[in-house]
Amino acid sequence: MQRTFAIIKPDAVKNGVAGQILARIEGAGFRVVGMRMIHMSKAEAEGFYHVHKARPFFGGLTDFMSSGPCVVLCLEAADAIKKWRDLMGATDPAKAEPGTMRKDFGASIDNNATHGSDAPETAAFELGYFFRGMEL
Ligand code: GDP
């Protein structure tokens, strides 16, 4: 079993599809180990996305992630990191496969509905950023 970190991003919460996304997560066989609704500050979003600090989209990305509430999740499954990345689809919803979260619920590369860790090291950092060990 492996754990990964997921976010139902502010656009999805605002659009009222957080429940549908969660149902698909559970339907795909993930165990929801941790879940919380939060509203990130700009500084918290900047800390979370620090690897993208030098990228031109960093300002817009962190404005968006701090624009409203989101749902942070710890998900568990066999090969959870890849399994959740596959279910999310490509970063740009226009390039995502039908049936994926980003195709079905994302509007653009900036408003793409979900986040998922891309490697074990990032999953460890991201889970630790939002959850205390005792919560999981
Ligand atoms: P992810 O792991 O698929 O979410 O992609 P990344 O970690 O590379 O990027 C984080 C987030 O930044 C993505 O989900 C997008 O919302 C945004 N992003 C990534 N690349 C671009 C880009 O080239 N342009 C813009 N505007 N946003 C981007």
Side-chain angles (χ1 to χ4, degrees):
M1 282 293 161
Q2 186 181 55
R3 288 180 175 185
T4 192
F5 175 72
I7 304 180
I8 301 174
K9 290 188 177 183
D11 57 330
V13 172
K14 194 174 171 184
N15 293 336
V17 295
Q20 289 183 58
I21 292 174
L22 193 58
R24 292 211 199 174
I25 287 170
E26 291 181 327
F30 289 96
R31 187 168 80 90
V32 178
V33 177
M35 174 164 67
R36 191 167 352 100
M37 180 175 267
I38 62 165
H39 187 154
M40 268 183 253
S41 67
K42 174 86 169 165
E44 286 165 347
E46 287 172 347
F48 177 65
Y49 277 120
H50 71 279
V51 292
H52 292 313
K53 201 170 172 180
R55 309 288 284 276
F57 57 83
F58 184 69
L61 173 62
T62 52
D63 280 346
F64 166 64
M65 291 302 288
S66 57
S67 68
C70 65
V71 178
V72 293
L73 295 152
C74 174
L75 305 179
E76 187 174 81
D79 206 14
I81 294 171
K82 181 176 186 302
K83 185 179 163 87
W84 174 232
R85 297 282 303 182
D86 288 350
L87 191 60
M88 282 203 304
T91 305
D92 183 352
K95 296 178 184 154
E97 295 291 324
T100 60
M101 303 293 115
R102 284 165 162 177
K103 184 70 171 186
D104 292 354
F105 302 115
S108 67
I109 195 164
D110 302 290
N111 288 235
N112 60 2
T114 55
H115 166 84
S117 308
D118 60 3
E121 302 73 38
T122 45
F125 165 74
E126 293 175 353
L127 285 169
Y129 195 79
F130 291 107
F131 293 101
R132 289 181 296 149
M134 198 173 78
E135 295 176 273
L136 304 178

